[in-house]
Amino acid sequence: MALRNLCETFLQERSQRASAGSVVLCSLHSEKPKLFCLEDKQPVCLVCRDSRKHKNHTISPIDEAAIDRKEELKIKLQPLQKKLKTFEEVKLICDQTAAHVKTQTQNTEKQIKEEFENLHQFLQDEEAARIAALREEEEQKSQMMKEKIEKMSREISSLSDTIRAIEEEMGADDVTFLQNYKSTVERAQCTLQDPERVSGALINVAKHLGNLKFRVWEKMQEIIQYTPVTLDPNTAHPRLILSEDLTSVRRGDEEQQLPDNPERFDWAASALGSEGFNSGTHCWDVEVGESTWWIVGVKAESAQRKGAYGYVSGEWCVWYKDGAYRACAPPQPSTLLTVQQKLQRIRVQLDWDRGKVSFSDPDNNTHLHTLKHTFKERVFPCFNIPCKLSPLRMLPVKASVSVKQPSWS
């Protein structure tokens, strides 16, 4: 028992020394390992090297083996370090995106409230105007009835006085009655015309209430604009600045701190429309103004948006630079266009089903060029503005409210 207790104490102390950073000994021979078995991938002592277990194994000095294994792990660590860096970069983008989502929500909510405040103010003004019109009609009709009532009151009073006087004459003695008979008969002759019933004296309720909501909606066209294309801020290059109503874009001096989401252009100063098309015909006008460099057209949904891509497929456009206009559908070479005068506006007409993108000058209705392609995917209005001189602006179209009468067979 004493010997066993001594052995247990020795083994425990050796384990504690090993865990505390003291010399590691071979578990079989209690020798300091000076070699490394490459087959078994473990340190061995000199006695182990000569044992049957490690016979014919490749043995290396432990310091050389440590250097070689560390170099090996360094190489294996590189993909993990690269992966870690990738995760950290994506997490940073996610953090930026989460913060930007909150900012977008706050700004969008503010603009929604402002728009509805304008609508509320319009409705309040319209309500006040219609109530004022009702009050004005009430005043006119009331004044008319007041004058009519006053006139009839005077006539009633006059008739009452005449009747009372005649009745008094009739109550006198016969001699007096007959003496005044001639004047009494003349007084009894009534020259007043019968009173007329008043027409149109009531409030024209139908005028004020008839189709009230529709009439207000119809008048609302004065303050409402419809733009066929609105820009998508999530696609805009960080250097581009969009208007609050998302109908114009200009190039700023510095890049904004925006998330590098997959939809965003990070090299070309471009932005896409918020709605893409995969059927039908569509048309929109763009005011280019005094800009000296712009590109307007359509871009395929799958077209590249990252990096300096140069001439790639997936874009059909007209561009202006250095006084020259060109139509381009990469990778095909561009076509020089003949333009009589500098364009202030350009019209884009997309016929997705027939595979046509046409460009024209809406100011003089002059056709500029038509690009043809068999579309197989959704395309988006595309705008590129490398120049800071003038913004590109989407022009509104005239909206109208119409009533469709039922057809009779």
Side-chain angles (χ1 to χ4, degrees):
M1 290 296 293
L3 180 59
R4 188 183 70 176
N5 291 339
L6 184 61
C7 290
E8 289 179 353
T9 301
F10 170 74
L11 293 174
Q12 186 177 3
E13 289 177 352
R14 186 175 69 173
S15 176
Q16 290 174 351
R17 288 197 303 268
S19 62
S22 59
V23 177
V24 178
L25 300 178
C26 174
S27 60
L28 297 176
H29 308 105
S30 299
E31 295 285 340
K32 181 180 179 182
K34 296 182 178 180
L35 303 171
F36 184 78
C37 177
L38 299 180
E39 275 75 5
D40 294 332
K41 294 182 173 53
Q42 65 179 17
V44 295
C45 67
L46 295 174
V47 180
C48 290
R49 178 191 62 183
D50 299 329
S51 66
R52 285 195 300 268
K53 182 180 179 180
H54 296 284
K55 189 177 181 179
N56 298 324
H57 284 187
T58 303
I59 304 295
S60 172
I62 199 163
D63 54 348
E64 294 180 4
I67 293 174
D68 293 341
R69 300 292 83 74
K70 288 179 181 180
E71 290 297 327
E72 179 184 337
L73 284 176
K74 281 183 181 179
I75 295 174
K76 290 185 177 182
L77 272 177
Q78 290 177 359
L80 295 177
Q81 292 168 339
K82 185 177 180 181
K83 183 73 70 176
L84 174 62
K85 184 178 180 181
T86 300
F87 271 90
E88 289 175 343
E89 290 174 350
V90 174
K91 181 182 180 299
L92 178 60
I93 294 175
C94 289
D95 291 339
Q96 293 174 342
T97 302
H100 191 63
V101 165
K102 291 186 178 296
T103 302
Q104 280 185 311
T105 302
Q106 293 171 354
N107 293 339
T108 304
E109 181 179 348
K110 178 184 176 183
Q111 289 177 237
I112 289 174
K113 289 182 176 179
E114 289 176 354
E115 290 294 336
F116 272 93
E117 283 176 4
N118 293 335
L119 291 176
H120 294 160
Q121 187 61 51
F122 169 81
L123 292 175
Q124 290 172 0
D125 293 343
E126 190 66 18
E127 177 188 5
R130 291 180 179 274
I131 290 178
L134 174 63
R135 297 299 185 197
E136 183 180 0
E137 183 179 357
E138 178 199 19
E139 185 177 352
Q140 293 174 352
K141 298 291 177 66
S142 298
Q143 181 65 28
M144 180 181 68
M145 293 308 300
K146 180 181 178 181
E147 294 174 356
K148 186 74 173 177
I149 291 171
E150 289 177 351
K151 180 181 178 183
M152 285 193 296
S153 296
R154 291 192 299 270
E155 291 174 346
I156 289 172
S157 178
S158 175
L159 286 173
S160 298
D161 292 344
T162 300
I163 292 171
R164 186 166 50 253
I166 293 174
E167 288 177 344
E168 289 178 356
E169 291 292 340
M170 292 173 64
D173 59 84
D174 294 343
V175 175
T176 303
F177 167 73
L178 292 175
Q179 286 179 339
N180 298 328
Y181 173 74
K182 184 176 180 180
S183 61
T184 302
V185 170
E186 292 176 354
R187 194 172 186 179
Q189 293 179 354
C190 181
T191 58
L192 294 176
Q193 295 181 350
D194 291 341
E196 294 181 356
R197 296 289 182 91
V198 181
S199 177
L202 299 179
I203 295 295
N204 190 347
V205 177
K207 170 187 172 183
H208 297 285
L209 292 182
N211 294 313
L212 177 59
K213 295 177 182 177
F214 179 82
R215 299 303 176 195
V216 173
W217 179 38
E218 192 176 36
K219 190 174 181 181
M220 197 176 289
Q221 294 176 88
E222 298 174 5
I223 66 166
I224 291 178
Q225 289 185 335
Y226 173 76
T227 307
V229 172
T230 55
L231 299 169
D232 183 357
N234 296 333
T235 66
H237 185 279
R239 196 178 289 272
L240 296 183
I241 301 174
L242 275 59
S243 61
E244 288 188 348
D245 60 359
L246 305 179
T247 60
S248 70
V249 55
R250 62 182 177 88
R251 185 182 175 94
D253 296 325
E254 298 179 354
E255 289 193 4
Q256 306 168 82
Q257 294 298 318
L258 299 173
D260 186 20
N261 49 297
E263 301 86 356
R264 191 179 306 282
F265 290 90
D266 66 353
W267 183 82
S270 297
L272 299 181
S274 59
E275 181 183 1
F277 310 112
N278 58 1
S279 64
T281 58
H282 310 273
C283 178
W284 58 93
D285 290 352
V286 184
E287 185 179 73
V288 295
E290 299 303 321
S291 178
T292 58
W293 188 3
W294 50 261
I295 303 173
V296 172
V298 297
K299 182 180 281 290
E301 185 172 23
S302 63
Q304 185 176 348
R305 304 185 190 184
K306 304 294 185 182
Y309 50 82
Y311 287 101
V312 294
S313 59
E315 186 171 344
W316 300 267
C317 60
V318 164
W319 56 276
Y320 172 74
K321 183 183 179 184
D322 299 331
Y325 296 89
R326 296 179 181 274
C328 189
Q332 301 298 323
S334 61
T335 301
L336 183 65
L337 304 180
T338 301
V339 178
Q340 300 299 328
Q341 60 184 15
K342 190 176 186 298
L343 297 177
Q344 295 295 314
R345 299 188 297 168
I346 185 166
R347 175 168 294 167
V348 183
Q349 293 173 289
L350 168 67
D351 189 335
W352 195 96
D353 300 320
R354 295 184 179 182
K356 294 181 179 180
V357 184
S358 299
F359 303 91
S360 59
D361 180 357
D363 290 327
N364 53 28
N365 199 26
T366 302
H367 176 260
L368 300 175
H369 193 75
T370 297
L371 296 170
K372 296 182 179 180
H373 179 79
T374 302
F375 298 112
K376 297 181 179 179
E377 61 176 306
R378 188 181 303 272
V379 296
F380 289 81
C382 181
F383 311 91
N384 186 293
I385 180 167
C387 169
K388 294 189 291 184
L389 181 62
S390 179
L392 298 183
R393 188 168 71 92
M394 314 303 115
L395 296 177
V397 296
K398 185 177 181 181
S400 62
V401 176
S402 61
V403 178
K404 185 178 180 180
Q405 297 288 349
S407 58
W408 297 89
S409 56

